[in-house]
Amino acid sequence: MDQLHELSATTSAAVTLTKPLHCIVKLGGAAITCKNELETINEENLNIVSSQLREAMIVGPCHGMDWSRRPGSSEIPTVVDDFDDQLESDSKKFIVVHGAGSFGHFQASKSGVHKGGLSRPLVKSGFVATRISVTSLNLEIVRALAKEGIPSIGLSPFSCGWSTCERNIAVADTLTVVKAIDAGFVPVLHGDAVLDSSQMFLAYMTAPPTEPGATLLREIAVREDGSWSVLKPELEDMSRSVEITVAAHDTTGGMVTKISEAAMIAKLGIDASIL
């Protein structure tokens, strides 16, 4: 995706990067957290993916950048003194976006914040609780990436002024994201609770694999109208629809939403992969 140079904002003209953006990496919430355990990070998976991103994206030597002690930890952070002041290496420009997994969904579902009604005390409290939860996860992911020497910066959609209208993005000011990339940082964005101009609600920006007979879908074709069909593998019963389940506490639509968003990207001629 080296040809992708611009990030569009609805409030102004397209903001142009000074260097090409190599890719956007989405870390699935179910992969980096234990989705059935409230606010529990899958430390092993997160450490593995952080290491893989460093190997794939960072060129040359790098040092850990998390110099803070985690709350409740007795471990003293290691600070490297022998930094090389030479120019930055030609590392690839990229963005990380992550899902909430076992963070945020419980608070949003319990309060009904995703349905609107910020004038109600329960919904307003749930909005605050949801943001506390998802931003705490964002911090831990930024920490994991920084420990690998990735210059990660956490950016929350709410704090950047993003908003929706009827659950569709209405304002997405990407100026801060672009400035961070041009300055050599890796923005880390996440699903967040933002204000909606119509209802003031939450908007998080084939069978389940545990089911018998579940088949991995390797390639999906997207039609002009945005609908999609399975190309690979050839399913024996083509009349049978793909079965996708959504957990009761999942307020972001599960895999259905992910596939629909990926289809919208593919319509623009940009390859999208779900792993």
Side-chain angles (χ1 to χ4, degrees):
M1 290 187 289
D2 285 339
Q3 74 276 16
L4 184 61
H5 287 233
E6 295 184 347
L7 298 176
S8 297
T10 57
T11 54
S12 60
V15 182
T16 305
L17 292 166
T18 58
K19 293 183 179 179
L21 181 68
H22 182 69
C23 66
I24 299 174
V25 179
K26 165 70 187 293
L27 306 181
I32 57 175
T33 73
C34 303
K35 201 159 186 179
N36 294 324
E37 299 179 31
L38 179 63
E39 297 184 339
T40 303
I41 296 174
N42 189 322
E43 300 279 359
E44 181 180 3
N45 281 1
L46 180 56
N47 290 336
I48 289 174
V49 75
S50 298
S51 175
Q52 290 173 338
L53 282 174
R54 173 182 54 78
E55 293 176 6
M57 302 295 185
I58 305 300
V59 178
C62 54
H63 303 285
M65 300 181 185
D66 181 12
W67 300 348
S68 300
R69 187 165 63 182
R70 298 175 69 175
S73 174
S74 59
E75 181 181 353
I76 300 176
T78 302
V79 180
V80 178
D81 294 323
D82 58 341
F83 274 90
D84 191 341
D85 288 332
Q86 66 181 358
L87 294 176
E88 282 191 0
S89 60
D90 295 327
S91 299
K92 297 173 182 176
K93 304 289 186 181
F94 69 106
I95 296 172
V96 173
V97 182
H98 66 84
S102 59
F103 290 72
H105 289 286
F106 167 76
Q107 291 84 353
S109 177
K110 184 73 174 178
S111 61
V113 68
H114 58 296
K115 299 177 182 178
L118 272 182
S119 59
R120 297 169 53 203
L122 173 62
V123 176
K124 182 168 290 184
S125 298
F127 190 98
V128 173
T130 300
R131 293 213 69 248
I132 290 174
S133 183
V134 296
T135 52
S136 67
L137 173 62
N138 180 255
L139 174 59
E140 293 306 314
I141 293 174
V142 168
R143 278 183 180 275
L145 295 171
K147 285 181 179 179
E148 289 292 333
I150 298 174
S152 51
I153 296 292
L155 294 177
S156 298
F158 183 91
S159 301
C160 289
W162 292 32
S163 64
T164 59
C165 180
E166 297 181 354
R167 305 194 74 170
N168 294 312
I169 293 178
V171 177
D173 189 348
T174 57
L175 183 60
T176 302
V177 177
V178 169
K179 285 185 174 181
I181 296 171
D182 281 341
F185 295 109
V186 175
V188 182
L189 294 92
H190 60 91
D192 199 4
V194 300
L195 299 179
D196 187 278
S197 60
S198 62
Q199 296 183 0
M200 291 297 186
F201 57 29
L202 174 73
Y204 276 122
M205 297 285 353
T206 49
T210 55
E211 295 293 327
T215 303
L216 176 64
L217 305 182
R218 298 192 176 277
E219 188 171 350
I220 291 174
V222 180
R223 304 184 185 92
E224 287 295 326
D225 62 0
S227 61
W228 54 272
S229 60
V230 179
L231 282 186
K232 296 178 183 179
E234 293 186 3
L235 302 179
E236 292 182 5
D237 184 3
M238 296 300 292
S239 63
R240 182 184 177 188
S241 60
V242 176
E243 179 188 351
I244 303 175
T245 61
V246 181
H249 63 274
D250 194 328
T251 58
T252 61
M255 284 304 299
V256 175
T257 304
K258 278 71 172 179
I259 294 174
S260 297
E261 293 292 336
M264 291 175 62
I265 295 171
K267 279 185 64 180
L268 299 175
I270 302 172
D271 290 338
S273 300
I274 299 177
L275 303 95

